[in-house]
Amino acid sequence: MAGYPGDSSIPKRFPEYDTSYLDNPFPIIANCVLTFYREFNQRILNDGEGINATDLWAKARNSLTEYGYLSTTNVLHIFGCAVLITIIRYLLDFLIFKRMPIWLEMSKENAVKMPESCWKGSAYLFTWAWAVYIMITRSYLFFQPDTHWSDWKPGIEISPDVYWLYMVEMGFYLHCIYATLFIETRRKDFFVLMTHHFLTLSLMLFSLSVRFHKIGLMVLFLHDIGDVMLELSKAVVYCKLRGKEERAYIEKAANVLFLLFTLQWVFFRLYWFPIKVIYSSATVSVIVYPEGPFYIAFNIMLTLLYIMQVYWFMFIVALIVRVMLGGKVEDIREDQPTEEGEAKKDSENKEPPQPVAAAAGKESDGAGKTATGTPKTRKRKQKAANN
């Protein structure tokens, strides 16, 4: 059977199964839940007999030994990419991204956040374009979910373009953990974001080790475009206030980008992700390869990733409501008060303006005077009046 790596032809399907119905673009998600429940009952609960922790640990250890293919070279490549990506970020910040706010005369607060969006948008655009190229040369991965599993075998060779995309992506998320802690603005979803970085890194490392990389490619293809749109929208919002003057056309552009960002989030992450990725992993994998390893662990991680997308969509809905009520497009996850809010707070804390006469009286008191003159002048006028 023709292997996946380096072969753009569609792998042959197993003749034992009629899998044509799996190409249906509207699979029933209930099948995923029922299949997962059945497999969980068989693999974890031993068909209702209960969990045997000792046997479960032994099976997991044996499966990792039999199916896990992760070398020291792989780990060194990941850390090497993380270090290289961090160096590239610092260089781009120094040469371009931190100079852009000065060129655009941005506010102090936006000048701090603009380099972060420029960096993330550029990085995600690069990796997503790479994933798109791979998906174009292997389009059957998107339309025929059984091809994710039909030629799977332990330790199958991974083509260089897929392997190095994995290395760069894992290096990037390792860098993101460092950047979220020490470089970037801390937001309300800090702990969810950190969980996302660790989960994504673990999912990719796991899928690489057991050669579930086709599902990994689908995840990258469906997710990175959302981050590109998000960072582009934020960068446009930051450009709205320039030189203490708001640009109306920037506000309109931000609204259009936010609409496109919302639509792609719904289609790519909330719709296509469950029916193209979770459906393949939870249902199709059992049909094509009934004894496939790590079924429970892999599907739990994918489901957690999907739950995070739903959680972040709540922020999007909240922002939609704010805009409909007359608010502006901005990142509502920010913990730190905005510059406008600080200015407003300062103005409220200032003393009310004093009347002009009272102010003049205060100034004259400070100089040894009053509103009617010096003490000598008053004494001279009183003496002239007595005469």
Side-chain angles (χ1 to χ4, degrees):
M1 182 181 295
Y4 165 74
D7 185 4
S8 298
S9 61
I10 301 177
K12 297 178 181 179
R13 301 185 177 190
F14 280 5
E16 297 89 353
Y17 302 98
D18 178 16
T19 56
S20 59
Y21 74 96
L22 298 176
D23 299 337
N24 182 1
F26 303 102
I28 301 175
I29 300 301
N31 288 343
C32 299
V33 178
L34 294 175
T35 306
F36 181 82
Y37 173 77
R38 184 181 66 248
E39 294 296 319
F40 186 85
N41 185 52
Q42 292 176 357
R43 301 182 186 218
I44 306 298
L45 300 181
N46 297 316
D47 289 326
E49 295 181 2
I51 301 176
N52 188 321
T54 304
D55 291 345
L56 200 62
W57 172 250
K59 288 180 180 178
R61 185 176 55 194
N62 293 335
S63 296
L64 283 173
T65 303
E66 182 178 357
Y67 299 105
Y69 287 82
L70 188 68
S71 66
T72 305
T73 302
N74 299 146
V75 177
L76 291 176
H77 284 166
I78 295 169
F79 277 94
C81 286
V83 172
L84 182 60
I85 288 171
T86 304
I87 294 173
I88 292 174
R89 176 172 187 171
Y90 279 118
L91 286 175
L92 290 176
D93 276 349
F94 176 74
L95 296 175
I96 301 175
F97 296 151
K98 288 189 176 181
R99 298 176 186 266
M100 289 178 62
I102 300 175
W103 302 334
L104 298 174
E105 299 179 338
M106 304 177 88
S107 64
K108 183 178 180 181
E109 182 186 7
N110 290 341
V112 173
K113 294 182 287 187
M114 182 68 168
E116 177 185 335
S117 291
C118 290
W119 160 252
K120 286 185 175 180
S122 302
Y124 281 120
L125 180 61
F126 175 76
T127 55
W128 185 68
W130 195 339
V132 168
Y133 163 75
I134 295 175
M135 292 300 297
I136 289 175
T137 60
R138 302 165 176 89
S139 60
Y140 53 83
L141 292 176
F142 186 83
F143 297 104
Q144 299 172 1
D146 60 304
T147 59
H148 299 162
W149 314 102
S150 57
D151 64 339
W152 178 87
K153 64 179 180 180
I156 186 174
E157 183 184 357
I158 304 176
S159 60
D161 55 349
V162 176
Y163 175 82
W164 283 108
L165 174 61
Y166 252 75
M167 294 298 106
V168 170
E169 285 275 7
M170 284 191 283
F172 176 73
Y173 278 104
L174 191 59
H175 159 80
C176 284
I177 294 172
Y178 163 78
T180 303
L181 289 171
F182 302 109
I183 300 178
E184 299 169 358
T185 303
R186 183 163 296 197
R187 299 178 173 86
K188 294 178 182 178
D189 63 343
F190 169 79
F191 293 105
V192 177
L193 191 62
M194 288 295 291
T195 303
H196 170 268
H197 293 338
F198 277 108
L199 179 62
T200 303
L201 188 60
S202 301
L203 191 58
M204 293 192 67
L205 195 64
F206 177 70
S207 65
L208 175 75
S209 175
V210 298
R211 300 305 191 256
F212 290 170
H213 50 278
K214 297 180 185 179
I215 286 290
L217 282 173
M218 290 292 297
V219 174
L220 297 177
F221 171 71
L222 294 176
H223 278 71
D224 283 359
I225 179 59
D227 294 299
V228 173
M229 295 295 298
L230 173 64
E231 300 305 332
L232 178 60
S233 301
K234 288 165 62 176
V236 171
V237 170
Y238 297 153
C239 292
K240 182 172 58 177
L241 182 62
R242 293 171 53 190
K244 298 182 179 180
E245 180 182 348
E246 288 193 1
R247 268 67 170 179
Y249 66 91
I250 295 292
E251 179 73 22
K252 294 179 181 178
N255 291 336
V256 172
L257 286 172
F258 176 65
L259 175 62
L260 295 176
F261 166 72
T262 304
L263 291 176
Q264 69 77 28
W265 193 282
V266 171
F267 280 102
F268 280 76
R269 298 197 180 199
L270 300 185
Y271 175 66
W272 273 336
F273 182 73
I275 73 169
K276 295 294 185 181
V277 175
I278 295 180
Y279 182 70
S280 172
S281 180
T283 301
V284 179
S285 63
V286 177
I287 298 173
V288 178
Y289 203 93
E291 301 301 324
F294 307 110
Y295 174 88
I296 302 298
F298 197 55
N299 281 285
I300 286 178
M301 287 192 287
L302 288 173
T303 302
L304 288 175
L305 189 60
Y306 183 70
I307 290 174
M308 289 182 184
Q309 311 313 315
V310 175
Y311 169 78
W312 277 313
F313 188 67
M314 293 168 57
F315 285 101
I316 299 175
V317 173
L319 185 52
I320 292 174
V321 173
R322 173 183 289 191
V323 172
M324 293 178 63
L325 294 177
K328 297 179 180 180
V329 175
E330 58 184 3
D331 194 345
I332 63 175
R333 301 173 301 156
E334 301 291 351
D335 271 327
Q336 299 175 351
T338 61
E339 195 170 280
E340 294 176 356
E342 286 294 322
K344 183 177 180 181
K345 187 185 295 184
D346 291 341
S347 65
E348 291 174 351
N349 293 334
K350 287 181 180 179
E351 295 182 2
Q354 302 267 350
V356 177
K362 287 184 177 181
E363 292 177 1
S364 61
D365 287 343
K369 300 180 180 180
T370 65
T372 56
T374 63
K376 288 184 177 180
T377 303
R378 290 200 305 272
K379 188 174 181 180
R380 193 181 299 114
K381 288 182 177 179
Q382 185 177 1
K383 184 176 181 180
N386 292 335
N387 294 333

